[in-house]
Amino acid sequence: MLQYALNLSDRQAAEAVRCRIDCKYALGLELEDPGFHHSVLSDFRDRLAEGDRADRLLGLALTRIRRAGLLKGRAARTSRAISINYEYKNAMLRA
């Protein structure tokens, strides 16, 4: 999410985690943390794409965000539409 928000390539994101205090803070890392190799990000995306992991993670995130009251107005309506699509897709996969 941080990579997406900052519009960074994998290499730039890995470099930001190594060098930027704000990125270390956002990820809960110690200042001395050496970071990671940029290939870790594509490996993570590949694992996330297996099965329905990404959909389950999105569903969990939306549920927690909604419960925390962090969505208001249009964002709340959009999240409900995403959630309905997620639930429909899962029902179709189970059928």
Side-chain angles (χ1 to χ4, degrees):
M1 294 175 98
L2 186 61
Q3 179 182 9
Y4 178 79
L6 297 174
N7 193 29
L8 301 174
S9 69
D10 287 354
R11 287 180 190 271
Q12 290 170 324
E15 181 69 18
V17 170
R18 278 192 294 278
C19 301
R20 291 179 51 172
I21 292 173
D22 58 338
C23 290
K24 288 181 184 279
Y25 179 79
L27 296 172
L29 301 174
E30 298 292 327
L31 289 176
E32 299 81 25
D33 192 292
F36 50 84
H37 191 267
H38 65 88
S39 65
V40 169
L41 294 170
S42 63
D43 293 342
F44 175 74
R45 282 192 300 273
D46 290 344
R47 285 195 317 267
L48 192 59
E50 292 173 0
D52 67 342
R53 289 178 176 177
D55 291 334
R56 289 192 338 238
L57 181 61
L58 175 62
L60 177 63
L62 287 173
T63 298
R64 289 185 178 182
I65 289 169
R66 239 186 260 117
R67 285 183 187 157
L70 299 174
L71 292 178
K72 304 214 183 299
R74 183 174 175 210
R77 289 190 301 277
T78 302
S79 75
R80 281 194 294 276
I82 291 169
S83 182
I84 290 168
N85 187 28
Y86 165 76
E87 291 167 12
Y88 173 76
K89 180 180 175 186
N90 282 339
M92 295 303 291
L93 289 173
R94 282 187 238 120

